[in-house]
Amino acid sequence: MILAANLKVNHTRTEIKEYTKSLETSLTSKKTKNEVLVFPNISGLDNYKVNNFTVGAQNAYPTKSGAYTGEICLEQLEHFDINTILIGHSERRVLLKESNDFIKQKFEFYKSKGFKIVFCIGESLDIREEGISKIKDFLYSQLDGIDLGYDNLIVAYEPIWSIGSGKTASVEQINETLDIIRTKFSSSLLYGGSVKATNIKEITDIKNCDGVLIGGASNEVKNFIEMIELI
Ligand code: PGA
């Protein structure tokens, strides 16, 4: 199983250092068979010399360096030996108006650099209410033009209506939707959206679920560790 913590814009740099230190200590003493990823905010990025998990970036501009005020890009990630990235998170799609085309550019660029890419897709509540065939069309359109045979690809299905809302999709909804996505490719497939200690087991037991992307419930390192140990 893959367990990924999306820390969003929470914690200071000092707190992220403490977070990574506690996680490393815990995973050193209690080995896990799970693959663990942590995505801190930009100011928390560093060259963490950890052996038991991977630190990735929540976002980066698709270029080596240049005039892109407010962004970070390849040069800064390379400096920290970071080669894992989250692309297409719904908060960037919705709040920052990132288009499918721009997200595809990021995918292409970081794929060309060999990055491990956690590529996020997910429908809004409006689309969910239109039924499964509309959901399918929508999710497929988000995957359109993405090289689904890329070795270092992980797809995260995160219905927008369940992110940060406390409203997890039901096991039936997740199962049905992951089945639909699974027909498109064979690499790892995650679910994200209000995953927590009380529902992680039933979600990771779903046939096509290879892991979870966890936001709020991973904010406190002890809760994230607890979830890693549950799986
Ligand atoms: P959540 O966030 O677990 O707080 O719903 C998930 C995510 O945004 O990746």
Side-chain angles (χ1 to χ4, degrees), residues 53-91:
F53 66 96
T54 302
V55 174
Q58 291 174 16
N59 172 57
Y61 206 82
T63 189
K64 182 159 174 56
S65 61
Y68 301 96
T69 303
E71 293 286 317
I72 56 162
C73 50
L74 181 66
E75 196 170 70
Q76 292 83 47
L77 298 183
E78 281 179 335
H79 180 67
F80 292 143
D81 276 340
I82 288 174
N83 50 21
T84 299
I85 187 166
L86 208 59
I87 293 180
H89 191 280
S90 67
E91 282 151 14

Side-chain angles (χ1 to χ4, degrees), residues 1-6 35-37 39 84-86 116-122 139 153-159 174 177-179 181-182 185-193 195 203-204 206-214:
M1 283 288 151
I2 298 171
L3 279 92
N6 176 9
E35 179 180 351
V36 179
L37 309 173
F39 296 91
T84 299
I85 187 166
L86 208 59
K116 175 173 284 193
I117 297 174
V118 179
F119 191 82
C120 304
I121 60 172
L139 296 175
L153 171 67
I154 297 171
V155 171
Y157 166 60
E158 300 201 295
I174 300 173
T177 317
L178 293 186
D179 277 357
I181 303 167
R182 168 58 77 216
F185 73 106
S186 57
S187 45
S188 297
L189 186 50
L190 313 185
Y191 168 78
V195 176
I203 292 171
T204 50
I206 294 171
K207 179 170 52 100
N208 278 315
C209 182
D210 303 309
V212 282
L213 179 54
I214 311 164

